[in-house]
Every structure is written in structure tokens, then in C-alpha cells.
Amino acid sequence: MTFSEFILRGVLAGSIYVLLAVPMSLLFSTVRTIDFAVGAYALVAAAVAASVGGVLGIAAGLGAAVAGSAAMALIFLLLKRFGCHNHIIYALASFGVATALASAVLWQYGTQSFVRDSFSQFWSLAGIRISPQGVLNLVTALVAVTILYVVIQRSQLGRMMRAAAVNVMGSELAGIPVELIQVGTYLVGGLLGGIAGLLILFTAGLDYSAPLSLTLSGFAAAIVFGIDNPFRALFGGLAMGVAEALAAGYTSGMVTSMVPFLFLLIVLGTSRFGDATVAGDRT
Amino acid sequence: MNKTTCKSWRRAAAVGATLGALALPLAAAAADAPVKIGTVLSLSGPAAVFGLPERDAINVVAKKLGFKSPGGRPFELVLHDDKSNPTEAARAVTQVINNDKVVVVVGPSTGSGILAAGPIASRLKVPLIAPAGTMAVGDRKNEFWPWVFRMAINDATSIEFILKDMAKSKAKKVGVLYQEDAYGKTGVDLAKEIAPKLGLEVVETVSAPYSATDLTAQATRLRNAGVDTVFLQVSIAALGTSFLKAARQIGLDKPIYANAGLAQRSFAENVGPEADGLRTLSIGNLPFEPIAEEKELSDLLKADGKVPQGWGEIVGANGLLAALAAIDAQAGKEITGESMRTALEGLCGFRSYARGKICYSPDNHDGWDGSSLTIVEIRDKKMRTLD
């Protein structure tokens, strides 16, 4: 009972990591870089949604997150225009955007934590009390991953995205609007980050200091089974959630926080994904 | 790929940074206030929840005094953000002492920042007035101990205060959730040490990193251990919020106590019904039920357009008042860092915005005892002071 309860709680918790990991996976599939501002998009969405309130707040929160990602996309375009085609620089720029967004939230809303109530009743699943919010989080993550998978693997748009990632010049010569696709991918990342932020708002709450840790959790989930496929991000996020829950349930003290990272190291070091995971293999 | 353009951007940034660095000492040289007080506080990063109220209180008190000590000595504040980062705290303390020539520093805001800056303060012979309860800050084995004066309640006193309140409620088995840092670890160790003296037993401890978004596993473990009450040694509001929601979700229906990190207006107002009944330690109750001395500070903040948040303003304002009292104790004399240290060691019962008496001596740099502490209970988005 206890073991299965920790597994279930880990799966529900991991769904948040999935939504943070998927945008990274998607961007890497398309632009070959990482947007480290995903956690900041989540914060911005939560802060705006909490302050506006209601359905309008949710829409405003998502809009603010997409606006944040649009700022990152604009910086990406400017860097390209000025001749910087280094993917590391794009990633570093996203750190700057994350810091700016977190600072803007701190300036506008202060140090308060953002949290809202959702469900006051709980469900019982085989004797385990769970929140409908947790189930909603999981369903949202599954739906998002499924849509993205279908788009990337089965649609014309997805083929253009993958082509743009593999060969920019060749794609442009073939008439694929590479920059438009890249900017669109940043915006979708902002939307997914915003959704993650809204779910955290109603699940546990967050404050201005959350972006970096959220981003790192999402990044870990994105790379653990390979960054080039949203389905791997799904399993990565869920696996990280379960590892954390089992660590919290069965280990003591500071060991708890080490276990998920040990799990990450073991998977990266021993599995067939190996080096290719971070490099973006397509196997 | 246009590498040249990229390089030229980097070069421009390097030139800009160099010019900026050169401008700082020039600006400092232009300042001409008679006594300079450094304030190195966490204005960004995780500890800004404490640093910002500290800064606000220092500013309003300084304005109210017209930037003159109660004894009439003009002073100037030099403010730096330590970014909640110990390395930055050490750098900022070095800068305010070497470049701005301050004779005392209020800050850094965090225990780790103070521990990083302490050796520098000792080497440069300028005292720190430290607004943090971290035990190690006041450890006499530190070579820099003579130069650090605490303007907060040490963690041992705080945790004993909380556990005593728990013991009144007939609880026996205590579960502890702590955040994974020095603050959390020290707190849980102290709780284990102090609990048996009060007839309590810490039967289970669980921890959480700052990044945790779901603490249901931790709450489940405490529930399964059959605890009578829970103690939260966390200063990150989001962790407190997350745990309260998790406890409600998994059916952990036991009294919950928290250390002072959660005694903040924003926490009480934002968490929701899960926080009802949560008892937290606090230095006074500035936002909701201030006593006379605290009300004066609360009114000053409100008049300046600020909303009182919690004890951060109290330690910040009293840090400045301690520095000013030390300056006034040296009327007519040349003031240096060393003379400030000597004067601070002689301070006792100076005018403060607190319910307790602050006394330093050559053997006691902790200043405050438990008399300024209180337990507040969150109810209907307010913090109510308990008798």
C-alpha cells in the first residue's frame, strides 16, 4: 500500500516536470538549443493569473507567458541578425530572459507566493486519497505530449520542424520558413511553460524564486531518456517524479535530494541513450 | 556565421563592464557624509523575502530621523544587494568597507552571507550587525566572532520557544519537515536535541529541496509515522504552502508549527484555508497586531506607502538603530570600525522597535533573548498573536 502510494504520488508530481520538459525537447528538436526561461514563463503565468483571477486570469497568465517567450524569440532573431549563430549563446540569452522575468515579477508583485485553491474534495483510489488537481495535471501533460508527438512525427509542420533542425540552409532552399518555425517553437514553449505554471499555481504554489529550480527540474526530465522526443520527456518527467517520491518516502535527510540526481546519472551513464541523449539522437 | 560581430559584442560588453567598475569608486569619492553605514541586504534571490522588508524599514527610519542619529550626528546609508549569494555578500562587504569607507555594516541578510563576509569584516576591522538566527554566525570559535553582532534571535532559542508551545498541547511525537540547506539541517538537529528535554520525541524527519513542487510524499511519510504534531523548519514560503496543501490532501490532520520564515503577511494572505490554524514563531507581530513600539514602525512604513510584512522590518530597523546608538555613544570622537565595535559591545536597552530588550556585551554578541518572540496563529488570512 505504502509503496504503491508513493509511486502514484510520484506519477502525479512528475506530470508537472513533463510540462516543463516538453518545451525543451520541442525547442531542441527544432532549433538545437535550450530555452532556460521555461521556469520563468511558468512563474509569469502564475503571477498574472493569481493577480487577475478567474478565467480571465488564466487567459492573461497564458498570454503573459507567451509574451515572455516572444521576448526570448525576438532576442533569438536579433542575435541571428547580428551574426551570432551559436546555440550556446541562445541558451545563455535565455538565462538572461529568465532573470529579467523573475525580477519583473519581484518588482511588480513583491515576495509573495502565488497559490490558488482548486478542488476542496478529494478522491479515493484504492484507499489512497488523491486530489482531482493532480489527475488534471497528469491528463494535461498526457494530452500535450500526444498533440506534440502527432504534430512532430505525423504532420507536414512537424517534418518542416525536423528538417529545419537538421539542415537550416537546405530547408531554406527548399522553401521552408525556418525562422518562422523557430519563433513559433519558442512561442509554443512559452505556452506550455505557462500551462505548467498555472497547474503549479493550483497544485502547490510558487514564488519569484522558483524559475531556476523549475527549469533545472524540467531540464533533468528532458534529458534523462533523450531530449529529442516529447514522449521521452513524458517518461523522463514521470520517472523523475517517482524517483523523488520514493526517495522522500524511503531515504532520510539530505540523501532524499541526491536520489533523483543519482538516478539521472545512472540512466545517462549506463543506458543505451548514453551520450546521444544530450546530443539529440533520433533512435 | 559572423564570428567577428559576436566578438565585437563581447568586446563592447567587456569595455562597458570595465567603465562601470571604474565609475563606482569615482562615485564613492564624491560622497561626503560624516558617518557612513553600509547596508548589504538580499534584495533579489530567495532571501529577498527578508531583505526587502529590512531595506524598507531602514530607509523609513533613516528618513524619519532626517539622516541624523538621535544624538544629532549626520549619517549616510550605502546600500548593496547581496543577491542572496554568499560570494556576492562577501564582495559587497569588501566594497562598502574599502571603497565607501563605511564604519559598520547592517547585513548581510542570510546566515551563509554573514559567514562568508565575517572574515572580511574581521580583517578590515569593521563590525557586522547580522540580521540572521543561524547558530554558526554566533559561534565563538569563529575568528571573526568579535566583529559580528546578531540582530535576530538565535535558532536554538527560537526552536526551544516553538517546542515549548507544542509541549503545552500534550503532543508527544513530533514530525519535522526541513528544507535542504544549512538552515534546515541546523533546525532539525536542534529540534532533536531540545525535544527530549521538554518531553517530546522527534519520531520522523523529512526534507525537501527548494525546487519541490509536490510534498505529498513527505506528508505521507509523516502521517504514516503517527506524529502528533508537525514542525516546519522552512523559510521558503512556497515550500510551506506546498506542504500545507499536501497535508490536507493526504489527510494529515495534526497541529502544524513553523519557524519564523513563514511569519509573513504575504504568506498569511495568500495560502488560503490550508493555513488556518498554522502556528508560526515571530519576532513581534508587525503586520496585524503590533504592540506600541512596533506600531510606531508600522505607521512609518505605511506613511511611506509600504505594507508591513513581518519581522524583517523589525530586525532591519533595529539594526540601524543599534548602529546609530553606537555612533551616539562616541559623541565628539573620531569614529572607526574598531571604535564602533567597542561601542556596540557597550550597548544595552537602547531605543528600539521591539518588544524585547537588546543588550550586547564583550561576552554576548547575540543581543536579543527570547523576550521579543511570540507565537502567532494564522486564521482568516491574518496572524493572531497568542498569549
Side-chain angles (χ1 to χ4, degrees):
Chain A
M1 168 66 178
T2 304
F3 181 77
S4 56
E5 182 170 3
F6 285 128
I7 295 283
L8 177 62
R9 298 206 183 286
V11 167
L12 296 178
S15 56
I16 297 289
Y17 299 151
V18 174
L19 283 166
L20 294 165
V22 165
M24 296 188 182
S25 170
L26 186 64
L27 192 70
F28 194 86
S29 302
T30 312
V31 191
R32 283 290 183 266
T33 188
I34 300 289
D35 185 356
F36 286 107
V38 167
Y41 306 148
L43 170 66
V44 167
V48 172
S51 63
V52 175
V55 177
L56 184 63
I58 290 173
L62 290 177
V66 173
S69 63
M72 181 57 227
L74 183 63
I75 290 169
F76 164 75
L77 285 178
L78 284 173
L79 285 170
K80 283 185 74 176
R81 290 280 189 277
F82 283 108
C84 289
H85 293 273
N86 188 331
H87 295 172
I88 299 294
I89 290 180
Y90 306 150
L92 291 176
S94 70
F95 270 115
V97 170
T99 304
L101 290 174
S103 298
V105 169
L106 180 60
W107 173 73
Q108 178 65 30
Y109 300 104
T111 55
Q112 63 173 294
S113 55
F114 305 104
V115 60
R116 288 292 175 268
D117 276 327
S118 52
F119 299 93
S120 56
Q121 301 297 316
F122 299 102
W123 294 339
S124 181
L125 183 66
I128 301 170
R129 253 167 74 117
I130 57 170
S131 166
Q133 181 65 49
V135 178
L136 177 64
N137 297 351
L138 182 60
V139 170
T140 306
L142 291 174
V143 169
V145 169
T146 305
I147 290 172
L148 286 173
Y149 182 79
V150 170
V151 168
I152 292 171
Q153 299 296 334
R154 302 275 181 260
S155 74
Q156 182 68 18
L157 175 63
R159 276 189 285 277
M160 289 196 292
M161 289 168 75
R162 285 182 287 148
V166 172
N167 187 337
V168 173
M169 189 175 290
S171 301
E172 286 173 340
L173 289 172
I176 294 173
V178 172
E179 280 195 346
L180 188 62
I181 286 174
Q182 291 173 331
V183 168
T185 308
Y186 270 107
L187 298 182
V188 170
L191 180 67
L192 289 171
I195 291 172
L198 293 178
L199 295 179
I200 297 171
L201 174 71
F202 289 102
T203 305
L206 71 171
D207 65 17
Y208 71 97
S209 64
L212 181 61
S213 53
L214 288 178
T215 297
L216 293 179
S217 296
F219 182 62
I223 66 170
V224 66
F225 292 134
I227 197 168
D228 224 19
N229 183 318
F231 260 116
R232 290 184 183 171
L234 168 70
F235 293 119
L238 298 182
M240 289 292 290
V242 170
E244 283 186 1
L246 290 175
Y250 292 105
T251 64
S252 63
M254 300 292 183
V255 178
T256 302
S257 61
M258 289 169 53
V259 171
F261 292 102
L262 282 174
F263 166 73
L264 183 68
L265 279 174
I266 290 167
V267 172
L268 288 176
T270 61
S271 74
R272 69 184 182 84
F273 301 113
D275 297 339
T277 53
V278 184
D281 68 311
R282 289 174 179 278
T283 54
Chain B
M1 184 185 300
N2 187 345
K3 287 184 179 172
T4 310
T5 313
C6 263
K7 279 182 183 171
S8 64
W9 272 47
R10 286 187 205 121
R11 208 173 294 134
V15 171
T18 308
L19 288 174
L22 286 172
L24 286 172
L26 288 174
D32 58 353
V35 182
K36 289 190 173 182
I37 299 171
T39 52
V40 176
L41 303 170
S42 300
L43 307 180
S44 56
V49 69
F50 310 118
L52 290 172
E54 287 162 5
R55 177 204 62 184
D56 291 344
I58 288 171
N59 282 340
V60 298
V61 171
K63 274 194 226 173
K64 185 228 174 190
L65 294 171
F67 288 90
K68 285 185 179 174
S69 71
R73 187 87 181 241
F75 69 90
E76 181 182 306
L77 296 175
V78 180
L79 177 66
H80 276 268
D81 178 10
D82 69 24
K83 301 181 174 66
S84 305
N85 178 335
T87 307
E88 188 63 27
R91 192 200 65 73
V93 166
T94 306
Q95 184 173 330
V96 294
I97 296 174
N98 280 341
N99 295 358
D100 300 310
K101 311 297 181 194
V102 304
V103 294
V104 63
V105 177
V106 180
S109 290
T110 64
S112 51
I114 296 159
L115 290 171
I120 293 161
S122 171
R123 195 173 67 246
L124 300 176
K125 299 190 184 307
V126 169
L128 303 179
I129 298 177
T134 311
M135 289 300 291
V137 164
D139 188 341
R140 295 186 70 119
K141 291 176 193 156
N142 297 330
E143 282 189 20
F144 57 79
W145 180 85
W147 297 92
V148 176
F149 294 80
R150 194 194 299 277
M151 184 54 73
I153 318 298
N154 73 52
D155 286 340
T157 305
S158 299
I159 288 170
E160 185 174 6
F161 202 91
I162 295 168
L163 295 178
K164 277 181 178 170
D165 200 72
M166 277 183 188
K168 281 187 217 164
S169 66
K170 312 289 186 223
K172 294 290 176 202
K173 294 193 282 185
V174 181
V176 183
L177 168 79
Y178 64 99
Q179 65 190 38
E180 289 168 359
D181 62 7
Y183 171 78
K185 185 70 171 68
T186 304
V188 75
D189 289 345
L190 285 168
K192 284 180 182 171
E193 182 185 323
I194 296 167
K197 298 173 190 166
L198 301 170
L200 301 168
E201 183 190 3
V202 175
V203 295
E204 187 62 278
T205 64
V206 291
S207 65
Y210 294 170
S211 58
T213 55
D214 184 300
L215 296 182
T216 49
Q218 284 85 346
T220 301
R221 186 162 161 177
L222 293 180
R223 183 200 64 195
N224 292 351
V227 299
D228 299 323
T229 184
V230 177
F231 169 46
L232 307 182
Q233 175 71 359
V234 299
S235 61
I236 308 293
L239 277 184
T241 305
S242 183
F243 182 82
L244 293 175
K245 279 186 165 267
R248 184 182 177 204
Q249 180 182 329
I250 61 108
L252 178 60
D253 186 21
K254 301 291 180 188
I256 301 177
Y257 287 76
N259 210 333
L262 301 187
Q264 304 288 333
R265 172 194 286 271
S266 58
F267 183 80
E269 288 182 343
N270 285 295
V271 175
E274 291 90 350
D276 277 356
L278 174 72
R279 292 185 171 192
T280 76
L281 185 76
S282 182
I283 301 173
N285 189 353
L286 190 73
F288 296 103
E289 294 174 356
I291 61 165
E293 293 88 343
E294 294 162 5
K295 187 168 186 317
E296 194 180 335
L297 177 59
S298 174
D299 290 343
L300 280 177
L301 288 160
K302 287 175 185 169
D304 200 55
K306 303 288 189 299
V307 180
Q309 291 297 317
W311 51 265
E313 289 99 335
I314 294 178
V315 298
N318 289 320
L320 175 63
L321 290 179
L324 296 178
I327 288 169
D328 283 346
Q330 305 170 71
K333 296 178 186 169
E334 184 187 355
I335 295 177
T336 64
E338 286 177 283
S339 71
M340 283 295 289
R341 192 187 80 79
T342 306
L344 281 165
E345 285 188 334
L347 286 186
C348 187
F350 59 92
R351 191 233 183 288
S352 69
Y353 295 113
R355 56 188 74 194
K357 191 175 176 183
I358 305 166
C359 278
Y360 298 112
S361 73
D363 293 323
N364 173 26
H365 284 198
D366 264 7
W368 252 324
D369 57 19
S371 58
S372 63
L373 290 175
T374 185
I375 298 282
V376 298
E377 184 172 289
I378 296 179
R379 186 75 61 189
D380 300 327
K381 298 184 179 292
K382 290 185 169 56
M383 299 192 304
R384 305 289 185 199
T385 305
L386 300 181
D387 293 333

